[in-house]
């Protein structure tokens, strides 16, 4: 409220109009009603449960407002400053709450040393947008989602035996709040925003007034009767005859399926104006929605399954769609689905699998358990316990969003997109691996490789002559082995010379194909790409994977990946991907879609097999190495040149020795690693000391 465009002060030399700011602050605080409004307490990103790769707000409690104070002014201000700054008002008021009689505080502080139990009871807002300011109003439907999450949290505390509060009494209060929020939410919370989208915001006042009078259904029917040209007086809806005619025309221009979707489904969901525009827009596919309006009307849960907003705050949750599809019975509206409907089950499974950002697939048993656990905290009229049998019976209906696979007498479930991504990557790699080795017009001998690899300016050439020569010879053997292969992996720990080998391979490619050789160096991050540019000198031929995709039209404005519609690159014959261990399943699949593989001669994946898996699904690089080892298509660098240089220059080597203690080695190597284990023990002892 304090930074709306209307508060900007034009012409006076003062940035903001503080009288206008005060008016907006008073308008905001006037919305808070004593003995009725709810206040949620939260912690921003500065909390013990946020990490660099997982920053999140945390709900700490809720209570009902008891009294609302008044805005206070600063004391000891000059008359001039009072005039300039809206009387010198303080940007805040005092609220008194009914806690603990009507409210609760979640006891995270009691479990900070037991993170697993904290994770069971933590409440994270489904939409973080509501918590990005000191205080912000949001709708009853959004509050209902949070209260439902708090019921689950408090129930978990009861299971854990927590005795810090009278949790059963708190549960009773939360359930009473759920009833209040359903009554406030109503059957059609999306209708005011649909009316705004349709260009008749004046009708919103009519709808709200009739809703307050207990005639919500009748008001909704009257509005759509007017739009359809049936008997309805425009004046009753607050519209002039001209405005009504214009509204009818806009409505008539919509396709029948779009009208039906808006009238029968969309009005039930508390989406934002912006989201309604995206869902109804012709470019809805850029926000993940591939379903037609007819399909969305038939199965509104698809909105939660498919919608991808512009950022992490722009979401359509399962709960939001479930609220509209199966409303509270005492509201008098019909449900669009049964509690055990396959559409609901599918959406629950999709929601759970999307939340799991590490596994490509999970067991059906675990998935059904998680779904049932979630539903067990719902009101009785929305509760159901599914079994694995549902997955088998409804298999055909589930297939568009899920893939079911039986393996080792057990059923496993993928997100359909994850399964398709995995198959695309597998089929591409298998196809490349079956191609004949590349033939060359000009042979590249070990002598050539040694020339490309040896750096005469390195201090190792004089101070570690024999050791350096062995390292270069080892790298030359790897180059000679990998160069003719259409698919291979260059693997090595930090400091073993992977980038040096990449530079040598590029020189050999140019030796055979001329200075105009077509190759592309790629890396998952800007930092990795810049390092690759510097060390190879190939600035114009190096890019991040994301920039490569964006240039060819495979990246949406919200930075999500397109699955169709981009241009497939067909002018590059060699691809080298550095830091491949950081590639997630989704990123790798997007890249593979952007390449015409019929024109590709070779693909080289470069990386450290000891690195942690990527942030995202799958462990593509590790799995590919394990598979290509059996085909003899992995070149492994084992001599650490950086350590050698550090020793030669009298620098420390301990950081690399420590890293080496945690290296992931294949089983064949691990079985004979007594010496390496002893070295690891030594370095760990040094750390301990």
């Amino acid at each position: 409220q304090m930074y709306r465009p209307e508060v900007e002060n034009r012409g006076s030399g003062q940035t903001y109009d503080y009288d206008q700011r005060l008016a907006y602050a008073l308008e905001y605080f006037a919305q808070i009603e004593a003995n009725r409004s709810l206040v949620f307490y939260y912690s921003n990103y500065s909390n013990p449960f946020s990490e660099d790769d997982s920053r999140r707000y945390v709900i700490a409690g809720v209570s009902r407002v008891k009294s609302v104070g008044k805005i206070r002014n600063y004391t000891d201000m000059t008359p001039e400053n009072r005039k300039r700054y809206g009387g010198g008002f303080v940007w805040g008021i005092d609220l008194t709450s009914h806690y603990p009689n009507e409210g609760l505080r979640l006891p995270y502080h009691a479990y900070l040393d037991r993170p697993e139990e904290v994770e069971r009871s933590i409440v994270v807002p489904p939409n973080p947008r509501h918590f990005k300011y000191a205080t912000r109003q949001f709708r009853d439907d959004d509050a209902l989602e949070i209260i439902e999450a708090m019921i689950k949290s408090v129930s978990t505390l009861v299971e854990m035996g927590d005795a810090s509060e009278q949790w059963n009494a708190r549960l009773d209060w939360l359930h009473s709040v759920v009833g209040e929020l359903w009554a406030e939410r109503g059957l059609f919370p999306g209708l005011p925003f649909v009316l705004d989208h349709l260009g008749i915001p004046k009708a919103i006042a009519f709808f709200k007034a009739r809703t307050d009078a207990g005639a919500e259904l009748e008001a909704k029917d009257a509005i759509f009767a007017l739009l359809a040209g049936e008997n309805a007086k425009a004046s009753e809806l607050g519209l002039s005859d001209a405005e009504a005619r214009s509204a009818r025309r806009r409505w008539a221009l919509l396709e029948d399926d779009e009208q039906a979707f808006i009238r029968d489904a969309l009005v039930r969901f508390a989406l934002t104006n912006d989201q309604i525009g995206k869902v109804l827009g012709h470019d809805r596919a850029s926000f993940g929605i591939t379903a037609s309006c007819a399909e969305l009307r038939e199965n509104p849960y698809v909105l939660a399954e498919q919608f991808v907003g512009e950022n992490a705050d722009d979401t359509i949750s399962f709960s939001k769609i479930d609220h509209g599809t199966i409303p509270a019975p005492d509201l008098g509206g019909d449900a669009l689905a049964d509690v055990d409907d396959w559409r609901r089950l599918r959406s629950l499974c999709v929601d759970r699998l999307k939340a799991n950002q590490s596994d490509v697939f999970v067991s059906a048993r675990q998935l059904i358990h998680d779904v049932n656990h979630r539903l067990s905290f719902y009101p009785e009229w929305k509760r159901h316990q599914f079994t694995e049998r549902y997955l088998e019976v409804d298999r055909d209906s589930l297939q568009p969003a899920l893939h079911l696979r039986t393996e080792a007498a057990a059923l496993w479930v993928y997100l359909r997109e994850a399964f398709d991504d995995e198959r695309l990557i597998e089929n591409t790699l298998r196809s490349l691996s079956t191609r004949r080795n590349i033939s060359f017009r000009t042979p590249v001998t070990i002598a050539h490789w040694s020339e490309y690899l040896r750096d005469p300016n390195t201090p190792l050439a004089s101070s570690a002559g024999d050791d350096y020569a062995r390292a270069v010879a080892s790298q030359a053997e790897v180059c000679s082995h990998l160069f003719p292969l259409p698919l291979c992996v260059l693997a090595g720990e930090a400091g073993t010379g992977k980038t040096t080998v990449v530079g040598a391979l590029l020189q050999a490619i140019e030796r055979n194909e001329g200075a105009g050789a077509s190759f592309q160096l790629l890396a998952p991050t800007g930092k990795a790409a810049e390092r690759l540019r510097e060390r190879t000198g190939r600035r114009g031929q190096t890019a991040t994977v994301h920039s490569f995709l964006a240039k060819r039209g495979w990246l949406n404005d919200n930075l999500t990946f397109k699955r169709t519609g981009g241009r497939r690159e067909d002018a590059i014959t060699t691809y080298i991907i550095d830091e491949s261990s950081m590639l997630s399943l989704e990123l790798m699949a997007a890249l593979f879609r952007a390449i015409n593989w019929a024109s590709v001669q070779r693909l080289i994946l470069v990386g450290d097999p000891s690195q942690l898996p990527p942030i995202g699904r799958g462990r593509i690089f590790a799995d590919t190495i394990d598979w290509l080892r059996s085909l003899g298509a992995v070149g492994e660098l084992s001599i650490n040149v950086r350590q050698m240089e550090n020793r030669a220059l009298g620098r420390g080597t301990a950081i690399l020795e420590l890293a080496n203690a945690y290296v992931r080695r294949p089983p064949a190597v691990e079985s004979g690693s007594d010496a390496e284990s002893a070295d690891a023990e030594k370095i760990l002892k040094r750390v301990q000391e």
Side-chain angles (χ1 to χ4, degrees):
Q1 293 280 46
M2 310 306 285
Y3 290 94
R4 287 166 59 169
E6 294 88 344
V7 304
E8 293 180 6
N9 206 347
R10 297 176 178 85
S12 69
Q14 187 170 329
T15 306
Y16 297 107
D17 181 338
Y18 280 83
D19 289 330
Q20 188 63 61
R21 281 187 151 179
L22 174 58
Y24 282 138
L26 291 170
E27 177 186 296
Y28 176 82
F29 291 126
Q31 300 173 103
I32 306 173
E33 297 183 48
N35 301 314
R36 186 162 182 257
S37 294
L38 297 175
V39 55
F40 292 91
Y41 307 95
Y42 75 99
S43 171
N44 63 15
Y45 291 149
S46 301
N47 65 67
F49 318 115
S50 284
E51 299 174 358
D52 290 341
D53 58 347
S54 177
R55 291 162 60 83
R56 55 188 177 180
Y57 299 98
V58 173
I59 305 295
V62 61
S63 64
R64 193 184 303 281
V65 174
K66 184 176 183 180
S67 63
V68 184
K70 295 182 178 180
I71 287 184
R72 291 174 285 132
N73 293 336
Y74 288 104
T75 58
D76 301 326
M77 291 186 74
T78 65
E80 180 184 354
N81 279 340
R82 287 195 184 282
K83 184 176 181 180
R84 291 184 63 190
Y85 296 108
F89 69 97
V90 178
W91 287 21
I93 62 169
D94 294 330
L95 291 180
T96 304
S97 82
H98 281 287
Y99 175 85
N101 294 329
E102 292 190 72
L104 60 94
R105 177 193 63 173
L106 296 171
Y108 300 134
H109 57 285
Y111 297 94
L112 290 179
D113 59 343
R114 293 144 71 181
E116 290 184 3
E117 295 192 357
V118 169
E119 285 299 321
R120 290 177 60 199
S121 61
I122 196 169
V123 177
V124 178
N127 187 346
R129 179 176 182 272
H130 300 317
F131 296 87
K132 287 190 177 295
Y133 295 86
T135 174
R136 187 171 192 160
Q137 182 196 37
F138 47 87
R139 287 184 273 172
D140 299 301
D141 191 78
D142 299 299
L144 184 57
E145 280 194 274
I146 298 174
I147 292 295
E148 288 172 342
M150 296 188 87
I151 288 174
K152 178 181 177 182
S153 176
V154 172
S155 299
T156 300
L157 290 169
V158 172
E159 292 176 4
M160 290 162 49
D162 185 274
S164 60
E165 292 215 30
Q166 296 177 355
W167 292 120
N168 287 322
R170 303 292 178 261
L171 277 175
D172 290 341
W173 180 75
L174 288 172
H175 284 297
S176 72
V177 170
V178 167
E180 292 176 21
L181 290 171
W182 270 111
E184 293 291 335
R185 176 196 184 277
L187 287 169
F188 308 114
L191 184 51
F193 303 93
V194 166
L195 293 174
D196 192 41
H197 178 79
L198 294 175
I200 47 174
K202 286 185 178 180
I204 295 174
F206 161 79
F207 174 71
K208 289 186 175 179
R210 297 302 297 150
T211 297
D212 291 341
E216 185 181 17
L217 268 169
E218 293 85 341
K220 180 243 185 183
D221 291 341
I223 289 168
F224 285 102
L226 175 82
L227 292 173
E230 300 169 3
N231 293 332
K233 292 183 179 180
S235 59
E236 291 182 355
L237 275 66
L239 304 175
S240 68
D241 290 340
E243 289 170 332
R245 283 194 300 272
S246 178
R248 289 190 187 104
R249 182 175 183 273
R250 285 193 297 272
W251 181 255
L253 288 171
L254 299 176
E255 298 292 337
D256 291 348
D257 287 339
E258 191 171 5
Q259 290 181 3
F261 169 56
I262 293 171
R263 182 187 63 242
D264 302 335
L266 192 57
V267 295
R268 290 170 167 258
F269 310 119
L271 306 186
T272 65
N273 285 20
D274 190 48
Q275 288 173 337
I276 287 174
K278 292 169 183 173
V279 169
L280 295 177
H282 295 298
D283 62 340
R284 68 172 68 96
S286 64
F287 298 101
I289 300 178
T290 58
S292 66
C293 282
E295 291 168 328
L296 292 173
R297 177 176 178 261
E298 179 65 27
N299 182 9
Y301 286 106
V302 169
L303 288 170
E305 292 175 9
Q306 295 187 351
F307 182 80
V308 180
E310 295 180 358
N311 50 54
D313 301 342
D314 189 11
T315 62
I316 298 178
S317 66
F318 165 82
S319 294
K320 191 168 290 293
I321 302 304
D322 201 48
H323 289 164
T325 305
I326 309 178
D330 53 3
L331 293 179
D334 295 330
L336 299 182
D338 295 326
V339 292
D340 69 340
D341 194 293
W342 67 262
R343 294 170 294 179
R344 192 174 189 230
L345 171 61
R346 190 178 84 178
S347 191
L348 281 162
C349 291
V350 168
D351 189 63
R352 183 68 191 89
L353 290 170
K354 281 185 175 180
N356 182 350
Q357 285 294 307
S358 57
D359 296 324
V360 181
F361 56 89
V362 300
S363 73
R365 177 178 298 178
Q366 184 63 48
L367 183 60
I368 291 296
H369 171 273
D370 293 346
V371 164
N372 287 338
H373 182 68
R374 176 176 183 172
L375 292 178
S376 68
F377 301 105
Y378 279 30
E380 185 64 37
W381 49 270
K382 291 192 76 169
R383 205 176 295 167
H384 184 73
Q385 293 292 290
F386 291 96
T387 65
E388 288 185 54
R389 183 69 176 169
Y390 279 87
L391 298 176
E392 295 288 4
V393 170
D394 295 322
R395 180 185 286 262
D396 291 344
S397 299
L398 303 177
Q399 287 288 12
L402 305 172
H403 177 81
L404 277 60
R405 163 187 152 207
T406 301
E407 187 79 25
L411 187 64
W412 306 85
V413 186
Y414 296 72
L415 279 174
R416 166 59 60 184
E417 290 184 355
F419 179 79
D420 290 345
D421 287 349
E422 197 175 69
R423 298 291 70 70
L424 170 68
I425 294 169
E426 177 189 7
N427 293 337
T428 302
L429 294 178
R430 287 191 185 280
S431 175
L432 288 170
S433 72
T434 58
R435 294 183 184 180
R436 293 181 179 178
N437 282 2
I438 303 165
S439 57
F440 307 106
R441 292 174 300 177
T442 306
V444 183
T445 65
I446 289 293
H448 288 120
W449 290 120
S450 298
E451 179 184 340
Y452 297 151
L453 292 162
R454 192 174 186 279
D455 179 7
N457 297 317
T458 179
L460 292 177
S462 56
S463 60
D466 291 342
D467 288 341
Y468 182 57
R470 277 192 293 273
V472 170
S474 175
Q475 292 173 348
E477 288 180 11
V478 169
C479 288
S480 180
H481 174 59
L482 298 184
F483 190 53
L485 301 179
L487 171 65
C488 63
V489 165
L490 172 61
E493 301 157 18
T496 53
K498 296 188 294 294
T499 309
T500 301
V501 169
V502 167
L505 291 169
L506 295 177
Q507 290 185 66
I509 290 171
E510 288 180 332
R511 172 182 170 85
N512 271 272
E513 300 179 18
S518 61
F519 53 81
Q520 177 72 60
L521 302 177
L522 295 169
T525 66
K527 185 176 180 180
E530 185 57 34
R531 186 173 63 246
L532 197 57
R533 289 188 192 100
E534 291 176 357
R535 295 186 181 179
T536 63
R538 314 286 175 152
R539 303 198 68 83
Q541 295 159 307
T542 304
T544 65
V545 177
H546 280 82
S547 64
F548 179 88
L549 294 172
K551 187 175 180 180
R552 290 153 183 83
W554 289 94
L555 208 59
N556 291 312
D557 292 341
N558 56 13
L559 300 184
T560 58
F561 304 119
K562 294 181 180 178
R563 301 183 73 83
T564 59
R567 176 176 66 84
R568 299 181 73 202
E569 179 59 62
D570 57 7
I572 297 171
T573 58
T574 293
Y575 288 89
I576 300 176
I577 307 176
D578 196 19
E579 299 288 1
S580 293
S581 61
M582 298 176 67
L583 293 172
S584 67
L585 181 74
E586 186 182 31
L587 182 58
M588 178 80 98
L591 175 61
F592 278 22
R593 287 189 182 92
I595 296 172
N596 180 358
W597 292 98
S599 62
V600 174
Q601 194 175 42
R602 63 163 65 79
L603 170 65
I604 303 174
L605 302 176
V606 183
D608 182 352
S610 303
Q611 292 279 9
L612 291 171
I615 300 173
R617 288 189 183 86
R619 26 170 269 165
I620 302 299
F621 187 59
D623 289 345
T624 301
I625 287 180
D626 290 344
W627 170 60
L628 285 180
R629 276 197 179 105
S630 65
L631 302 181
V634 177
E636 304 200 50
L637 302 173
S638 57
I639 300 177
N640 200 301
V641 181
R642 195 178 305 164
Q643 274 185 303
M644 187 187 301
E645 184 176 349
N646 286 343
R647 290 193 187 96
L649 297 177
R651 297 172 181 162
T653 62
I655 194 166
L656 286 171
E657 291 171 12
L658 179 60
N660 195 56
Y662 293 91
V663 164
R664 171 186 178 273
R665 294 181 174 84
V669 175
E670 288 177 354
S671 62
S673 57
D674 291 343
E676 290 172 342
S677 296
D679 290 340
E681 289 293 335
K682 290 177 183 176
I683 189 68
L684 291 173
K685 185 176 180 181
R686 287 168 60 190
V687 170
Q688 188 178 28
E689 290 171 350

